[in-house]
Amino acid sequence: MHLLHIDSSARPDRSDRSRYGSHSRRLSDRFVQRWRAIRPEDRITYRDVGQSPPNPVTARWIHAAFTKPQQREAWMHAVLAESDALVDELLAADLIVAGVPMYNFGMPAQFKAYIDNVVRVGRTFGFDRARPGDPYWPMLAGMGKRLVVLSARGDHGYDPGGRQAHANHVESAVRDVFGYLGVTDFDSVAIEYDEFADERLNASIAAAEAAVDDLAGRLLKDAAARAAA
Ligand SMILES: Cc1cc2nc3c(=O)[nH]c(=O)nc-3n(C[C@H](O)[C@H](O)[C@H](O)COP(=O)(O)O)c2cc1C
């Protein structure tokens, strides 16, 4: 299998190594280390969009992306080079493990820039306005890809049923976009209470780490079963 490990926190270090480090990096690293320990032969690609954000979409990018590949001029290929590389990485991955913290109720701009670069007509979704019924179709469907989102929040109560669940636009937005591309197998875990830095944060970290271990164990079992089939 091939893992694509993405981090998007602006904080470069992990909270298990540094006092003001990132919790989402801590969780994504934990998941990947668990995976690597059991399946050292699997390929892991790391993409740190928190430290090296992809370029945002521009008018030239849109012009290039919506020009048919055989009609593209040299400058269009150059403008799309970064996006093409990110799409190639996504196409090669079986499992995407993304650290995506909550910034102002949504995903960080760094991760949104990543998404804007991988949602590409003709590469990750199809569009044909002449197609009867639904002119859009997901090009990554049926490839067995799955997505794990590992998040962190300063406040609490953002999980389903919580006091602020209605304001959480992180997991739902990421899930919807990847679902649009055809990646519909989705799991998530989050740490809360970062802003409080008290025993509730410690309890949330412990619970999230246990949930990550469970999730990694479950997905490792699935991978082993698929390999044996
Ligand atoms: C720019 C910014 C905006 C934030 N907005 C929210 C928010 O809307 N709700 C919330 O609960 N926490 C918010 N936080 C707190 C972060 O979600 C929290 O610090 C989290 O742990 C950051 O992820 P990281 O630990 O992976 O860096 C915000 C933090 C920053 C830096």
Side-chain angles (χ1 to χ4, degrees), residues 9 11 21-25 101-105 152-155 158 194-195:
S9 172
R11 301 200 275 191
S22 155
H23 300 303
S24 61
R25 287 179 187 273
M102 175 180 282
Y103 284 1
N104 300 316
F105 308 106
R153 311 153 189 159
D155 200 359
Y158 289 106
D194 178 47
E195 304 286 5

Side-chain angles (χ1 to χ4, degrees), residues 32-139:
V32 171
Q33 294 312 329
R34 289 284 176 285
W35 195 276
R36 203 196 296 271
I38 306 294
R39 295 176 61 97
E41 72 283 4
D42 283 354
R43 225 172 113 197
I44 299 173
T45 298
Y46 184 58
R47 175 66 64 173
D48 190 345
V49 302
Q51 294 306 294
S52 304
N55 287 305
V57 162
T58 60
R60 281 161 63 81
W61 188 101
I62 296 168
H63 188 166
F66 287 90
T67 299
K68 286 192 178 17
Q70 59 275 18
Q71 290 164 7
R72 279 185 198 140
E73 297 170 28
W75 69 264
M76 294 177 169
H77 291 291
V79 163
L80 292 177
E82 180 182 41
S83 165
D84 279 330
L86 294 173
V87 169
D88 289 344
E89 263 177 22
L90 181 59
L91 290 174
D94 302 299
L95 175 59
I96 303 120
V97 180
V100 188
M102 175 180 282
Y103 284 1
N104 300 316
F105 308 106
M107 69 186 90
Q110 293 91 327
F111 195 76
K112 183 60 165 55
Y114 172 79
I115 282 183
D116 290 342
N117 274 277
V118 297
V119 178
R120 278 279 303 279
V121 66
R123 294 219 61 197
T124 55
F125 75 95
F127 175 70
D128 180 357
R129 57 171 75 79
R131 199 164 173 255
D134 193 349
Y136 297 91
W137 68 94
M139 293 181 73

Side-chain angles (χ1 to χ4, degrees), residues 132-161:
D134 193 349
Y136 297 91
W137 68 94
M139 293 181 73
L140 308 190
M143 294 180 172
K145 296 183 191 296
R146 68 182 307 137
L147 171 66
V148 171
V149 169
L150 301 168
S151 191
R153 311 153 189 159
D155 200 359
H156 65 102
Y158 289 106
D159 283 324

